[in-house]
Amino acid sequence: MASKTRRRKKAARPGRLRRWIKRLSLLALLGVLALAGYMVYLDMQLRERLDSRQYQLPARVYARPLILREGMVMRPDELESEFAALNYKKSDTVDEPGQWQREGMDYLVWRRDFIHPDGHEPAAKVRFRLRNDELSRLRSESGDKLEEFRLDAASIGTLLGGGDDRTPVRIDDIPPLLGATLIAVEDQDFVHHFGVSPRGIARAMVANIKAGGVVQGGSTITQQLVKNIFFDHKPSLWRKFNEALMAILMEVHYDKAYILQEYINEVWLGQQGSRAIYGFGLASEFYFQKPLNQLEPHQIALLVGLAKGASYYNPWRNPERALERRNTVLDIMLEQALITPEQHERLRKQPLEVAAAGAAAQNPYPAFTERLLEELRPYYSVEELRTAGLRVYTTLSPSVQALAEKSVSEGAEKLEKDRGIQEDSLQSATVVVENHSGNVLAMVGDRRPHYPGFNRALEARRQIGSLVKPAVYLTALERAHQYNLATLIDDAPVREETEDGQIWMPANFGNRSHGLVPLYVALSRSYNQATARLGLELGVENVRQTLRRVGVQASLPRVPSLFLGTAELTPFEVAGMFQTYANGGEDVKLRTLLAVSDADGEQVQHFRRRANRGVDAVPAYLLRYGLEQVMREGTGKSAMRRLPGSVAFAGKTGTTNDYRDSWFAGFSPDVTGVVWIGRDDNQRTSLTGATGALSIWTEIMRKLPHRHGRIQAPRGVEWKPVNEKGQYMDPRNCQGGHELPFSTETRLETDPRCQRRGWFRNWFDDDRERENEAAPREEMSPGWGIDPEQQRRQQQLRREQDLRERMQREEQRRQQEMPPVYEEPLPQQPGVTDAIPRSDQERLRRLDEQGRIQEERYREEERRAEEERRILEERLRRNDELQQDRNLEGAPVEEAQPWSPDEDQWP
């Protein structure tokens, strides 16, 4: 029985083994089929993700490119500031794009290639000379003369920060040394393996066992790319399994060059707040502020070293650790013969050379960017700006922006120190714009310029004080038959009762009245009482309409206190108003946006200049003269000590009640600048416009290039000397007076001392006077086809001929009426005609002699008048020189307040 049982068990063993083999085979088959199906699933996921893969790139913002022009005005420090914004390096030998060299006054610059809105410009060299702040000898590399040369535009950040950010590069743009170093450090079998490297895994295991810890990974570059695209960074065996499978599938479908390119664009290399830095293209700009293809070997070594752990080896927080990691990579590069021993020794001694922390900020100019977004929103969605990789071209000037930031930060600190003001209590904002184009060159919204908080340049609505006064005087000057610059305004106390029974009594600074003063003096000295009286004569609504025509769209009160600045505007709005004054009455809309293109520089949308003629050129010119006097002899006088006297600067100070706000707005022929200083809690600053904002404005303007010379008067303006009463002092009849510009429509009363006398001069000069009144002098120039001197002589000869003929007719009539006288006829003498009696012939001779004498007298008077004009011009020139000397003595303190703090006045 037992033997039978043993035999049955022996017979059953092969059967059970076969059944197990069948079962295992079936399970293996099912496993293979499941794995195959799973790999098909993974393959579909992989192909779908990679084939339709598009990077989500935020819009990249560029400053306006610097255009070098023959004869342009530019200081060396301004030029070098532009180079710094472009991250151009000064070098003894210019051997690659992005470098510049200076030898004495001569410059050599190698421009980088760049995609502008109007097309691509390749890298090129240019030479020029900068002597006495003037650019000359602009030449190409071959020596050809150039009229202009445009540099590339500096990248100034991205829009709508946060999330992933990268600058994708193609395999052809990747430096060969970068690819070779990555393979040497991360995956030496990259060229040979099929996605997974058993030898690499074994080598990593041996290295980790020897080190007693994890010092080397076994993942290939392909596996790392799969992990970066599809998985998070939490370690697990299931993730490793999926990585290996998908790495194999990736190697099946894509070549090594594509895989290396995607890895270079995908690897995480740093963090800046909520902004993640992906890819070597952006990392090159982030750490070194230069393109990837311009990195030096030791810089490439640092970036490759960061791929192991960008946070752990952060060169700003852990410079020693980053330097050690970089040198380790350099050692590997030497082992793999990527660099020579001499290079290795030299490169290990190099510092990290990373840019300053925050230099590559995503939004380094928050005030400017806020305005830029306002202009972009009507045309592009938030999603497009965040993901479409748009290229946004702006008006920002890096050199002007840097100057404005420094002036605001240092100026506020200096005012606090010099005037005993509480530290860090003052805030400031400034806007600098180009007059003719409306381009915003710089904008600062905080004394900490890079702080992205409250933007005072755009959002701080504060009372503008005396900055409103030019609109009052412009309203008057537009009425040429009623007001002119010499019109006397009574600067005496004003009392106005409103409809609700309140009393408005504005007072001058220091509570002093000045009596009758010329209109331009009331403006330049910022007299409140004179301005209020003039405004009341003009009417509140007329002044409001003037403010609308010069570009002010903000809410304006319908009360008399408007004349002295109770309107609340932002610095940006004030810049628009004063830029209209600077443009001769043309309101050009301020803009920060020039063009937008797609990521490849195609499909470009341009944003054109928009302008409107709000004010006629003649009253605008007269107002400009008044604002120039603010700088020459008024409340802005102290600035002229530090500004070039040959530039026609104009501007206006502004101070509000209890010294809460200090303003200055002014312009040169090319640039308008506005500065505001105040406190966020709206408390007293103890600063007027002249003692506060003017100092910062002066610091900005004195370092900017300006067009020199006097502003050309438009047609319809003529210059005339007037006395202290505003009466015309005809230089042909009297001397003295102050020469001012007037509209040709203005009829001036003549000083009684300068009126013409004598019937003959009145007879011959009436028509000439009417000619002078009919048109300005420049309209009667020979360029209009008429020689005015020749025309005057012809008219004079015609008048003399008419006079002779009339006198002859009268004499003949008188002779005919007399009785005839019989005399003995005289013998006829040769040369004497018998057609004219002797008495008539004598009268004609005397008439001719009288006309000749009168002609000589007239010519003598003209010569004397010309000499008087010359003397007058010389006297005015000397007065200007004396005035400039007096400018050194200090500025008057006739700064305005909108109202006096008495209880019976407007709040």
Side-chain angles (χ1 to χ4, degrees), residues 291-420:
L292 185 62
N293 58 9
Q294 293 184 15
L295 292 182
E296 298 181 23
H298 65 288
Q299 296 170 331
I300 289 177
L302 176 61
L303 294 186
V304 172
L306 290 176
K308 185 177 181 180
S311 179
Y312 185 78
Y313 295 108
N314 187 304
W316 291 304
R317 290 201 304 264
N318 306 303
E320 297 84 3
R321 196 181 293 167
L323 184 63
E324 181 181 359
R325 176 61 180 166
R326 186 205 69 179
N327 290 340
T328 300
V329 175
L330 288 173
D331 295 341
I332 297 174
M333 295 171 71
L334 177 63
E335 293 174 5
Q336 298 295 320
L338 299 178
I339 56 176
T340 64
E342 293 78 12
Q343 287 179 306
H344 177 261
E345 182 179 0
R346 176 177 59 82
L347 294 174
R348 282 184 64 93
K349 297 178 181 178
Q350 294 286 337
L352 290 176
E353 295 184 351
V354 292
Q362 186 175 18
N363 183 14
Y365 309 116
F368 183 90
T369 302
E370 183 177 342
R371 175 62 191 178
L372 177 64
L373 283 171
E374 289 182 12
E375 296 182 27
L376 283 167
R377 282 192 182 105
Y379 304 96
Y380 300 94
S381 67
V382 173
E383 187 67 20
E384 286 178 301
L385 295 175
R386 280 180 172 168
T387 63
L390 300 176
R391 297 170 64 93
V392 181
Y393 303 92
T394 73
T395 64
L396 184 131
S397 168
S399 60
V400 180
Q401 178 71 25
L403 173 60
E405 291 176 355
K406 182 179 179 181
S407 301
V408 166
S409 300
E410 296 180 356
E413 182 179 355
K414 186 175 187 299
L415 285 170
E416 290 172 343
K417 181 179 178 181
D418 294 347
R419 298 190 173 270

Side-chain angles (χ1 to χ4, degrees), residues 530-701:
T531 305
R533 189 178 305 279
L534 179 61
L536 291 171
E537 292 177 4
L538 297 168
V540 173
E541 195 58 35
N542 287 328
V543 175
R544 292 182 77 253
Q545 291 303 316
T546 299
L547 286 167
R548 294 292 185 221
R549 287 187 285 114
V550 297
V552 177
Q553 301 301 321
S555 175
L556 298 172
R558 286 184 168 87
V559 291
S561 59
L562 171 67
F563 306 142
L564 301 183
T566 55
E568 295 181 348
L569 303 181
T570 66
F572 187 80
E573 291 170 332
V574 172
M577 175 171 63
F578 272 76
Q579 179 241 22
T580 303
Y581 301 150
N583 281 330
E586 185 181 31
D587 175 22
V588 182
K589 186 175 179 59
L590 302 188
R591 60 175 180 171
T592 60
L593 181 61
L594 293 178
V596 177
S597 73
D598 60 16
D600 297 323
E602 301 175 356
Q603 300 180 7
V604 182
Q605 181 177 4
H606 293 274
F607 296 85
R608 306 297 182 186
R609 171 183 182 268
R610 289 186 288 171
N612 175 56
R613 169 61 66 178
V615 179
D616 185 70
V618 172
Y621 179 83
L622 301 181
L623 176 67
R624 185 189 188 110
Y625 176 85
L627 294 176
E628 288 179 5
Q629 300 315 300
V630 172
M631 306 300 294
R632 299 289 178 181
E633 58 185 46
T635 55
K637 181 179 177 180
S638 60
M640 295 307 295
R641 303 174 187 173
R642 307 178 64 195
L643 296 173
S646 58
V647 177
F649 288 106
K652 188 71 191 72
T653 51
T655 310
T656 59
N657 190 38
D658 204 23
Y659 303 96
R660 288 189 175 95
D661 302 278
S662 171
W663 288 91
F664 191 84
F667 48 88
S668 71
D670 305 302
V671 178
T672 295
V674 174
V675 176
W676 167 85
I677 296 177
R679 294 178 54 165
D680 286 340
D681 59 6
N682 203 28
Q683 295 300 307
R684 181 185 178 96
T685 66
S686 301
L687 298 172
T688 66
T691 59
L694 178 60
S695 62
I696 295 178
W697 181 89
T698 304
E699 187 65 22
I700 295 173
M701 298 298 276

Side-chain angles (χ1 to χ4, degrees), residues 443-605:
M443 186 185 299
V444 179
D446 194 293
R447 64 183 293 180
R448 298 166 296 173
H450 303 291
Y451 181 72
F454 182 56
N455 184 359
R456 293 158 189 83
L458 294 177
E459 300 168 10
R461 291 194 172 274
R462 306 295 284 256
Q463 290 185 351
I464 62 174
S466 295
L467 296 188
V468 79
K469 289 179 180 176
V472 178
Y473 289 89
L474 176 60
T475 307
L477 292 171
E478 287 181 315
R479 293 152 174 79
H481 295 287
Q482 188 177 358
Y483 297 98
N484 57 71
L485 290 173
T487 300
L488 296 181
I489 308 295
D490 190 6
D491 185 53
V494 176
R495 179 184 177 89
E496 180 74 8
E497 184 174 355
T498 63
E499 294 179 357
D500 56 1
Q502 297 191 54
I503 302 299
W504 184 57
M505 291 181 60
N508 286 334
F509 186 87
N511 294 316
R512 291 182 297 170
S513 300
H514 304 86
L516 292 174
V517 294
L519 183 144
Y520 80 93
V521 172
L523 172 60
S524 66
R525 303 300 176 91
S526 198
Y527 292 158
N528 282 345
Q529 294 175 159
T531 305
R533 189 178 305 279
L534 179 61
L536 291 171
E537 292 177 4
L538 297 168
V540 173
E541 195 58 35
N542 287 328
V543 175
R544 292 182 77 253
Q545 291 303 316
T546 299
L547 286 167
R548 294 292 185 221
R549 287 187 285 114
V550 297
V552 177
Q553 301 301 321
S555 175
L556 298 172
R558 286 184 168 87
V559 291
S561 59
L562 171 67
F563 306 142
L564 301 183
T566 55
E568 295 181 348
L569 303 181
T570 66
F572 187 80
E573 291 170 332
V574 172
M577 175 171 63
F578 272 76
Q579 179 241 22
T580 303
Y581 301 150
N583 281 330
E586 185 181 31
D587 175 22
V588 182
K589 186 175 179 59
L590 302 188
R591 60 175 180 171
T592 60
L593 181 61
L594 293 178
V596 177
S597 73
D598 60 16
D600 297 323
E602 301 175 356
Q603 300 180 7
V604 182
Q605 181 177 4

